[in-house]
Amino acid sequence: MLQDWLAASNYTVIFTGAGMSTESGLPDFRSANGLWRKKDPSQLATTEALNHNVHEFVEFYRDRVLGIKKYGPHKGHKILADWEKKQLIHSIITQNVDGFHTEAGSIRVAELHGTLQTLHCQLCNKKYSSEKYVDEDFICECGGMLRPSIILFGESLPEDAFNMAFEEAQKAELFIVLGSSLSVSPANQFPLIAKESGAKLVIINEEQTDYDIYADLVIHKRKIGEVLKEIDSMLRES
Ligand SMILES: [Zn+2]
């Protein structure tokens, strides 16, 4: 059924969450390292921590940067990049900060929570590869401090990504959620915006979500990569 909807839709938008990343093997940062389990991320992932406790802040993000360097896009990410080339899908809205969609070759990606692939200077905004954190280097050539290009606690979503996601959700004829419990606001409003704008809504997630009642199709307890691979082979056969 989903492959028919995908083939028939003139504008398909994908929305991805943590479940997409965990299939790459990337551990959730809360369980990644016992050391951080005792820390409250809402205390650590803040500009307050960057400005007053920079060594601990950098150490925390250094572990997460090492995580995304160690793991990479899986089959599911690659299928989505391929589908974009074939214009089967038109964009991806993601809550993930690992940058795996871009790494897999996807072009039109709205990274709602930013990306861990880059750092930028708090003072002059100059961009750097997050490789610098691996070397525990966090000072810009202007003397400012480098922070990851993700949203920290209390910060609002990046305007460009938010606006793009909003427009894409409105344009969608088919909107497919992959691996998100849709519990984080305001990102979770996009499936409903799509639905209200007339899109068919599909939710593929390990567990039930509060938005399942609005969906035209719900798939639970399946690996996203496998579902995408199945659809991809059905599309190739037809
Ligand atoms: Zn600077």
Side-chain angles (χ1 to χ4, degrees), residues 121-126 128 140-146:
C121 173
Q122 263 193 316
L123 286 183
C124 75
N125 255 337
K126 184 172 175 179
Y128 293 86
C140 176
E141 58 190 23
C142 82
M145 279 200 282
L146 302 178

Side-chain angles (χ1 to χ4, degrees), residues 159-171:
E159 210 174 325
D160 289 357
F162 184 88
N163 291 341
M164 174 179 166
F166 193 80
E167 282 171 24
E168 294 299 306
Q170 283 184 317
K171 272 198 240 173

Side-chain angles (χ1 to χ4, degrees), residues 27-88:
D28 186 282
F29 70 91
R30 286 175 193 85
S31 57
N33 185 331
L35 188 66
W36 303 115
R37 209 179 293 176
K38 295 182 208 115
K39 302 275 182 178
D40 178 358
S42 67
Q43 298 287 308
L44 209 50
T46 62
T47 47
E48 185 80 2
L50 170 64
N51 292 321
H52 299 288
N53 199 359
V54 67
H55 289 282
E56 195 176 52
F57 179 93
V58 170
E59 187 68 12
F60 176 63
Y61 281 105
R62 182 175 181 271
D63 277 358
R64 296 189 58 195
V65 167
L66 286 169
I68 62 160
K69 306 235 177 259
K70 185 171 164 197
Y71 299 95
H74 57 75
K75 184 173 54 197
H77 291 101
K78 289 171 189 158
I79 289 172
L80 292 179
D82 181 51
W83 285 358
E84 185 184 1
K85 282 192 197 84
K86 294 176 175 161
Q87 297 200 314
L88 277 165

Side-chain angles (χ1 to χ4, degrees), residues 7 26 86 108 129 146 168 198 220:
L26 190 68
K86 294 176 175 161
R108 303 195 65 238
S129 158
L146 302 178
E168 294 299 306
H220 293 144

Side-chain angles (χ1 to χ4, degrees), residues 30 61-62 67 81 85-86 95 102 107 111 116-117 121 128 130 132 148-149 166 189 194 206 214 219 224 227:
R30 286 175 193 85
Y61 281 105
R62 182 175 181 271
K85 282 192 197 84
K86 294 176 175 161
Q95 297 172 285
T102 310
I107 313 280
E111 292 175 314
L116 266 183
Q117 298 279 355
C121 173
Y128 293 86
S130 49
K132 272 180 98 74
S149 302
F166 193 80
Q189 69 180 275
E206 180 65 21
Y214 305 109
I219 299 173
I224 299 160
V227 174

Side-chain angles (χ1 to χ4, degrees), residues 69-211:
K69 306 235 177 259
K70 185 171 164 197
Y71 299 95
H74 57 75
K75 184 173 54 197
H77 291 101
K78 289 171 189 158
I79 289 172
L80 292 179
D82 181 51
W83 285 358
E84 185 184 1
K85 282 192 197 84
K86 294 176 175 161
Q87 297 200 314
L88 277 165
I89 66 166
H90 296 80
S91 57
I92 297 173
I93 302 169
T94 187
Q95 297 172 285
N96 300 331
V97 294
D98 47 47
F100 289 168
H101 286 299
T102 310
E103 208 176 320
S106 291
I107 313 280
R108 303 195 65 238
V109 184
E111 292 175 314
L112 288 178
H113 297 160
T115 177
L116 266 183
Q117 298 279 355
T118 59
L119 309 173
H120 67 268
C121 173
Q122 263 193 316
L123 286 183
C124 75
N125 255 337
K126 184 172 175 179
K127 274 191 186 182
Y128 293 86
S129 158
S130 49
E131 198 70 45
K132 272 180 98 74
Y133 264 26
V134 176
D135 303 329
E136 292 176 66
D137 177 2
F138 51 85
I139 305 293
C140 176
E141 58 190 23
C142 82
M145 279 200 282
L146 302 178
R147 55 164 287 171
S149 302
I150 58 171
I151 55 163
L152 300 173
F153 275 86
E155 293 183 326
S156 47
L157 303 190
E159 210 174 325
D160 289 357
F162 184 88
N163 291 341
M164 174 179 166
F166 193 80
E167 282 171 24
E168 294 299 306
Q170 283 184 317
K171 272 198 240 173
E173 288 183 14
L174 178 61
F175 192 96
I176 306 174
V177 175
L178 300 175
S180 174
S181 58
L182 299 175
S183 56
V184 177
S185 172
N188 61 2
Q189 69 180 275
F190 295 113
L192 281 192
I193 292 170
K195 181 75 188 170
E196 281 163 6
S197 310
K200 274 201 173 75
L201 177 61
V202 177
I203 299 177
I204 303 174
N205 190 52
E206 180 65 21
E207 305 293 337
Q208 290 182 4
T209 81
D210 290 346
Y211 291 75

